[in-house]
Amino acid sequence: CLGSRTLFKDISQLQPGHSLTVSNGNVHVRKYWDVYYDLDFDHTAKYFEERLFAAAEDSVRLHIRSDVPLGAYVSGGLDSTTLAASAVDVSGDPNRVIARCLHYTTLFPDDEVLFATEAARRLGIELRLTALDDALYDPNWGDQSGDYSEPRVDVVRARPTRALNQAMAEEAQVWFGGDGPDNALRFERDAYLSWLVAGRRWRRLAEALWLYLRAKGVSGWGGTFRRYAGTATLEPAEPALPGWLNRDLVVSRALDERWREIGRGPQQRHPWRPQSVASFEDTIWQSGFADCDDDERQAPFVWRHPYFDLRVLHYMLSLPPVPWTRRKLVMRQAMQGRLPDAVVRREKTPLPGDPLVLAARRHRLPELQNAGRLARWVDVGKCAGANMDSWEGRQILAVHAFDHWLRARAA
């Protein structure tokens, strides 16, 4: 399984959401965390809207410790500010909640501070700002010891990350992260409508179509027209396997096929939310939560992720996609009056590129020190001339992190 692999032959790691028990020489692995779902039709719009905020509050309440300060990462978007609002409501004291907004000033245009400031002002909480442009990449990262079990790209920002973690620990012992709704509330209209048709659920189909037409409105149909007329932005093509990999390695390990297999489909086939459920099986979560574990080892605080509470996930995945997950309608309705209108109405704003790569491009990468050993995996000449764009640039950084790790092992 992809999630259990390590760099070392015959050594596996325990997959996320699993427990391992060793008794009398027997090893038993059990999966204890899983996404489950049903479909919740028969409720009013008010119920759907209020239940989301109530579920988030219930999860936040579990992680509040006596009267210590609470921290919330806010991006100026809807998901994180909803958690901040939940923390204020549950604690009953806005002075206990500290918000921190990570933003950029020179890497690319960024208006997160504007929306985060409005949200903090409405909630009555303190907002602290951290500009990451010069703190995201450490130009002297190569002189670190490399004392870690496997190579990690995050070594290039280890020192500034450690400093940020220590600052956060001084501010609050519990920090809330807002990941989850982008995946759980994907708008999967076609899968849902096809499921209704296949099951001959004609009344539900007619209701869904009517709700979709009403929710989309004039502006929404304008976007559809532009898309079919060819004026809307196209989705980027899926990246190919890097051309600087050692071709013998690619052939012997069938890397082309294995690359295509990654993310090809979910192990479970959800009848009306296939992409949402599949997204939670992506190993990116494993990497992200491992980063959180590292943060907690570096400073005395804990990360909490209320949207990954199974009760909250179950609720979000049980919503009829039409109309409730279109533009996260259920969240926007739930937060009307609780957050500023500008935040509630704000469209999803993706980053224009990978910030770490953009920051790294401002500096000269260190020379590869283990070209002979690296040749088993990469064509060092091609790697040196590779394009440092947002996707391939991250892979180039991984090669340099691998080189750094090899150098530390040889020392």
Side-chain angles (χ1 to χ4, degrees), residues 125-406:
I125 62 179
E126 181 181 354
L127 175 66
R128 304 198 176 173
L129 305 175
T130 300
L132 292 178
D133 308 81
D134 296 323
L136 194 60
Y137 178 86
D138 176 9
N140 299 312
W141 67 269
D143 62 13
Q144 296 179 90
S145 66
D147 184 20
Y148 39 94
S149 60
E150 292 188 276
R152 297 186 58 183
V153 176
D154 282 348
V155 67
V156 305
R157 59 181 179 190
R159 275 190 286 242
T161 297
R162 188 178 302 113
L164 176 59
N165 290 336
Q166 291 168 352
M168 289 169 55
E170 294 175 0
E171 296 167 352
Q173 295 181 8
V174 179
W175 282 86
F176 294 111
D179 292 324
D182 282 345
N183 300 77
L185 296 178
R186 289 190 182 192
F187 184 49
E188 301 188 64
R189 177 199 60 194
D190 294 345
Y192 176 60
L193 296 180
S194 297
W195 176 74
L196 292 177
V197 171
R200 298 179 180 275
R201 299 172 177 85
W202 308 122
R203 183 175 68 84
R204 296 294 184 190
L205 177 64
E207 179 185 56
L209 290 172
W210 164 244
L211 289 172
Y212 177 61
L213 292 172
R214 189 173 66 175
K216 192 166 184 177
V218 175
S219 60
W221 286 109
T224 299
F225 175 78
R226 289 191 297 273
R227 183 167 63 252
Y228 283 100
T231 59
T233 303
L234 297 177
E235 291 293 327
E238 183 177 346
L241 203 64
W244 39 259
L245 285 172
N246 181 301
R247 293 312 301 171
D248 291 337
L249 177 71
V250 171
V251 173
S252 64
R253 300 296 183 182
L255 295 187
D256 284 319
E257 178 60 26
R258 288 166 63 182
W259 182 260
R260 289 190 292 269
E261 285 292 335
I262 296 175
R264 177 170 288 181
Q267 296 177 1
Q268 310 175 58
R269 291 290 180 180
H270 193 295
W272 63 89
R273 303 291 294 281
Q275 294 181 28
S276 296
V277 172
S279 70
F280 288 106
E281 297 176 354
D282 196 310
T283 54
I284 192 173
W285 298 113
Q286 184 174 352
S287 175
F289 290 137
D291 290 343
C292 291
D293 291 340
D294 284 345
D295 291 344
E296 294 173 1
R297 282 191 287 267
Q298 294 171 5
F301 73 93
V302 294
W303 277 111
R304 290 296 180 258
H305 304 274
Y307 291 124
F308 276 83
D309 184 320
L310 278 176
R311 297 168 303 171
V312 181
L313 267 185
H314 173 242
Y315 167 74
M316 290 191 290
L317 289 170
S318 298
L319 284 167
V322 178
W324 294 110
T325 67
R326 181 180 180 273
R327 297 180 62 248
K328 298 182 187 174
L329 177 64
V330 66
M331 292 192 75
R332 296 180 191 278
Q333 296 287 86
M335 300 313 294
Q336 287 282 354
R338 292 187 170 107
L339 290 174
D341 289 343
V343 174
V344 172
R345 294 194 305 266
R346 189 187 184 197
E347 296 290 343
K348 179 67 179 176
T349 309
L351 296 177
D354 185 329
L356 180 59
V357 173
L358 295 174
R361 287 169 60 177
R362 294 180 166 187
H363 305 274
R364 183 182 179 86
L365 290 175
E367 295 293 331
L368 295 173
Q369 301 295 313
N370 296 271
R373 298 177 68 184
L374 285 172
R376 295 175 54 190
W377 297 283
V378 302
D379 183 321
V380 176
K382 290 183 178 179
C383 187
N387 179 23
M388 280 288 289
D389 63 16
S390 290
W391 179 81
E392 192 168 1
R394 174 70 71 143
Q395 315 313 313
I396 294 296
L397 288 176
V399 173
H400 281 266
F402 187 31
D403 176 68
H404 180 265
W405 183 82
L406 289 173

